[in-house]
Amino acid sequence: MGPLRRRAIADAGGLRSVDGTVAPAGGRPGKNSVTRVAIIGVGLIGGSLGLALREARPDIEVIGIARSEDSAAAAVKRGAVTAAGADLRLASACDLVVVATPLQEMRPVFSRLGRELPKQTLVTDVGSVKRAVLDWARELIPDAGRFLGGHPMAGKSESGLRAAEPRLFQGAPWVFTPDGDQDLGRFAPLFEIVDAVGARRVVIGPDEHDRRVALVSHLAFTLSSAYGATIKASPEWREAVRIAGPGFRDMVRLAGGDPDLYTGIARTNRAALLDAVDRLQAALSKYRRHLENDDERIWELFEEVKLAHDQWERM
Amino acid sequence: MGPLRRRAIADAGGLRSVDGTVAPAGGRPGKNSVTRVAIIGVGLIGGSLGLALREARPDIEVIGIARSEDSAAAAVKRGAVTAAGADLRLASACDLVVVATPLQEMRPVFSRLGRELPKQTLVTDVGSVKRAVLDWARELIPDAGRFLGGHPMAGKSESGLRAAEPRLFQGAPWVFTPDGDQDLGRFAPLFEIVDAVGARRVVIGPDEHDRRVALVSHLAFTLSSAYGATIKASPEWREAVRIAGPGFRDMVRLAGGDPDLYTGIARTNRAALLDAVDRLQAALSKYRRHLENDDERIWELFEEVKLAHDQWERM
């Protein structure tokens, strides 16, 4: 096991919480069902989960597992975890493992976890796509029934630990996508921490999840990026942006997100996103047709969506 | 001349400022070059301009001209104007007239103003499209050289007087679009009020303006609406919206705007908007092609726009 970083303590030995007491790995006896959570990947989501848990449940030890010793030290310094290191084997001493790496790193992480983890350890992920992730888990993690796919619907255009914040999950849906008739009863410890950070649990099938997020999330950033590309390709973009108002800012905000994240999601949820792009192209063509014909019924298009928008605002 | 609404005073006679002193119609002698401004249309833009002027330049009398006596009374009550009425002839006692009606009402307003206004009265508008507005002005307002097209690049998705706010123009570009070699020297009084409300003056040709706002504004709301239409047309929209995060909210915000406003703009700036929609469709098709081929170069598209976005953030 590699060196373990702690707040103000460099300690390569056993898992020690910041106040110096040693928590037994098997779960502190008493009312709490979770004693030690591993978060693999301490970026925006992993870091925010750590910060939120440290605040809401100081009795739970949060072990961060980062890509490098430097990132591990940064997570400890930020207070997002009680202790951290760069060795995946640290996860084997925890009751629950949350995989919060980018999508494209999940497969190799699952493969390592499958070899290292005790059979009873619960595992979840926070990936934006669920069908592919479930397939990887089923293939690589023995007793795949202890893996439950998850997706907190919280984010911002900035990424990384620096953008992390403890309130990120407050009131946000945290979607779980059981595979077939998977037993959810054993995931009480997972739901406990999700409740603790203020998220709202939602359970849907993985394919439904992927279709729906393709529409409300993956199509949104693809479109924002394509809109940005349209501006950028215009010979007058500099002058145009100079007179741009808040509407422009709204529409390009998502285009400022992490290209690695977007690429990982787009390629992993390819079929659903393609379908969503096609639907958008069809909708836009309708506006185009009315414009071309100077058809006053373009008002009806704007009006119908405005009414829907107002309804969504209240949801 | 119809009845004139004032704050706490109902007065059908001459123009009286709220403190009871009578300002001469020809301009108060002294350092101020503007004494009385008429704002025709007291919605979001007209109302905000009134509120901002009342705050920054209490020495200027602001006369609101609304569609109905009720709207005039509301504008006085809100404090957006010093006095108001529903009769366009009120404008003839002012140094400067700002036409802040929806685009589709500008032509008839210009026609009336052309008949009523003294020859020296300066006229501007705040319409989102400039070529068509200049053509209407040239046709309907005698001595069209005293009409200068303008467009404050400020807005929000809510419309109407209730959404008005005095800070709306702070730091926002206020574009002026001289027609050919139009003399800007005579518009010092207009620039004075634009400076007073904190806007940043920008001068560009009307056709350039229309092409640029088609990209950064009109395409933005058309796209937001088309995105909303895509969601709405999905059989699962209710479930999808329920798990939507902040990215979805960003992308549909503009779709909540006023359908009359959007229709007026889209039809008045038809050619430039059509061109912008075509450019967007072409950009989106590139993302689609990479998706279909599972081409990793989709990363380059996301990355290029992300870099441009970061540059725009600093502009």
Side-chain angles (χ1 to χ4, degrees):
Chain A
M1 195 174 283
L4 194 64
R5 305 282 173 160
R6 292 159 185 293
R7 181 131 64 164
I9 309 177
D11 181 337
L15 288 163
R16 192 177 291 268
S17 56
V18 278
D19 62 4
T21 61
V22 177
R28 183 186 296 176
K31 61 180 177 11
N32 301 320
S33 50
V34 201
T35 34
R36 196 178 281 160
V37 174
I39 301 178
I40 303 180
V42 263
L44 171 66
I45 298 294
S48 297
L49 177 59
L51 287 169
L53 263 184
R54 297 288 312 281
E55 211 173 278
R57 288 289 302 271
D59 58 307
I60 296 178
E61 198 170 5
V62 182
I63 310 300
I65 301 175
R67 222 178 314 205
S68 69
E69 291 295 337
D70 282 355
S71 307
V76 173
K77 195 172 166 213
R78 176 77 201 271
V81 294
T82 31
D87 190 329
L88 264 186
R89 280 171 294 178
L90 290 168
S92 60
C94 299
D95 318 304
L96 170 67
V97 176
V98 181
V99 182
T101 67
L103 271 177
Q104 50 270 48
E105 291 169 30
M106 282 194 183
R107 215 173 182 291
V109 165
F110 286 177
S111 169
R112 289 283 312 274
L113 287 179
R115 291 195 301 268
E116 309 285 354
L117 288 187
K119 292 259 184 215
Q120 76 280 9
T121 312
L122 297 173
V123 184
T124 190
D125 77 304
V126 298
S128 308
V129 180
K130 296 270 67 78
R131 170 48 66 200
V133 170
L134 292 192
D135 289 346
W136 300 332
R138 205 162 34 193
E139 178 193 348
L140 298 165
I141 302 179
D143 183 15
R146 46 84 172 253
F147 178 90
L148 179 61
H151 181 203
M153 306 301 297
K156 34 196 239 178
S157 47
E158 303 94 329
S159 58
L161 178 65
R162 283 215 277 183
E165 43 178 282
R167 304 260 170 277
L168 195 68
F169 308 104
Q170 286 282 354
W174 192 309
V175 177
F176 293 101
T177 56
D179 202 3
D181 57 354
Q182 195 178 5
D183 168 34
L184 290 185
R186 65 195 288 188
F187 292 98
L190 168 57
F191 300 150
E192 189 184 325
I193 71 160
V194 165
D195 294 349
V197 302
R200 190 159 50 81
R201 277 185 268 145
V202 177
V203 174
I204 55 183
D207 299 305
E208 289 75 15
H209 167 275
D210 288 357
R211 273 202 312 273
R212 292 172 196 171
V213 291
L215 278 172
V216 295
S217 172
H218 310 166
L219 179 60
F221 70 68
T222 303
L223 198 53
S224 180
S225 187
Y227 175 63
T230 308
I231 303 294
K232 209 185 145 275
S234 151
E236 303 187 284
W237 71 259
R238 207 172 295 270
E239 293 74 19
V241 169
R242 218 167 267 141
I243 58 166
F248 171 74
R249 308 282 159 194
D250 279 348
M251 292 301 284
V252 292
R253 192 165 299 125
L254 287 176
D258 180 6
D260 292 335
L261 177 76
Y262 288 171
T263 302
I265 291 174
R267 298 186 70 192
T268 314
N269 201 19
R270 226 160 61 82
L273 180 53
L274 257 177
D275 181 58
V277 169
D278 288 343
R279 285 161 185 262
L280 189 276
Q281 294 264 33
L284 193 57
S285 294
K286 214 162 166 185
Y287 288 74
R288 197 200 176 285
R289 212 159 44 238
H290 280 351
L291 267 178
E292 190 163 39
N293 303 330
D294 199 10
D295 191 326
E296 62 186 12
R297 284 175 303 169
I298 198 169
W299 182 88
E300 291 167 26
L301 300 183
F302 288 129
E303 169 75 3
E304 266 179 48
V305 179
K306 190 230 179 340
L307 295 177
H309 166 276
D310 294 350
Q311 190 175 353
W312 298 333
E313 289 271 282
R314 293 187 299 267
M315 277 174 69
Chain B
M1 194 174 287
L4 194 63
R5 305 284 174 159
R6 293 157 185 295
R7 179 127 68 158
I9 308 176
D11 181 338
L15 288 165
R16 194 177 290 269
S17 55
V18 275
D19 62 4
T21 61
V22 178
R28 183 186 295 176
K31 61 177 173 26
N32 300 322
S33 51
V34 201
T35 33
R36 196 177 283 159
V37 173
I39 300 176
I40 304 180
V42 264
L44 172 66
I45 298 294
S48 295
L49 177 60
L51 287 169
L53 263 184
R54 297 287 314 281
E55 210 172 279
R57 289 292 301 272
D59 57 306
I60 296 177
E61 199 171 4
V62 181
I63 310 300
I65 302 174
R67 222 179 312 207
S68 68
E69 291 297 337
D70 281 354
S71 307
V76 173
K77 193 170 167 218
R78 175 78 200 270
V81 294
T82 31
D87 190 330
L88 264 186
R89 279 172 294 178
L90 290 168
S92 61
C94 298
D95 318 305
L96 170 65
V97 176
V98 180
V99 182
T101 66
L103 271 177
Q104 49 271 47
E105 290 170 30
M106 282 196 183
R107 219 175 178 291
V109 165
F110 285 178
S111 168
R112 287 283 313 274
L113 287 179
R115 293 195 301 270
E116 309 285 355
L117 287 188
K119 290 261 185 212
Q120 75 279 8
T121 312
L122 296 173
V123 185
T124 191
D125 77 305
V126 298
S128 307
V129 181
K130 295 271 65 80
R131 170 49 65 200
V133 170
L134 292 192
D135 289 347
W136 299 334
R138 205 161 37 194
E139 178 194 349
L140 298 165
I141 303 180
D143 182 14
R146 45 87 171 252
F147 177 90
L148 179 60
H151 181 202
M153 307 301 297
K156 32 195 239 179
S157 47
E158 304 93 332
S159 58
L161 178 64
R162 283 215 278 182
E165 44 179 281
R167 304 262 168 277
L168 195 68
F169 308 104
Q170 286 283 353
W174 193 311
V175 178
F176 293 102
T177 58
D179 201 2
D181 56 354
Q182 193 179 7
D183 168 33
L184 291 186
R186 66 195 288 190
F187 292 98
L190 168 57
F191 299 149
E192 191 185 323
I193 70 159
V194 165
D195 295 347
V197 300
R200 189 159 52 81
R201 278 185 265 147
V202 177
V203 175
I204 54 182
D207 299 305
E208 289 76 15
H209 168 275
D210 288 358
R211 273 202 311 273
R212 293 173 196 170
V213 293
L215 277 172
V216 295
S217 171
H218 310 167
L219 178 60
F221 70 68
T222 303
L223 198 52
S224 181
S225 186
Y227 175 62
T230 308
I231 303 293
K232 209 185 143 280
S234 150
E236 303 187 282
W237 71 260
R238 206 173 295 269
E239 292 75 18
V241 170
R242 217 167 270 142
I243 60 166
F248 170 75
R249 307 284 158 192
D250 280 348
M251 293 302 285
V252 293
R253 191 166 299 123
L254 287 175
D258 180 7
D260 292 337
L261 177 75
Y262 288 169
T263 302
I265 292 174
R267 299 187 69 192
T268 314
N269 200 20
R270 224 159 62 81
L273 181 53
L274 257 178
D275 181 57
V277 169
D278 288 342
R279 285 160 185 263
L280 188 277
Q281 294 264 33
L284 193 57
S285 294
K286 215 162 165 182
Y287 287 73
R288 197 201 176 283
R289 212 159 44 237
H290 280 352
L291 266 178
E292 191 163 39
N293 302 331
D294 199 12
D295 191 326
E296 63 187 10
R297 284 177 302 170
I298 198 169
W299 182 87
E300 292 166 26
L301 301 183
F302 287 129
E303 169 74 2
E304 267 180 46
V305 178
K306 191 235 179 330
L307 294 176
H309 166 276
D310 293 350
Q311 190 175 355
W312 298 334
E313 288 271 282
R314 293 187 299 266
M315 277 174 68

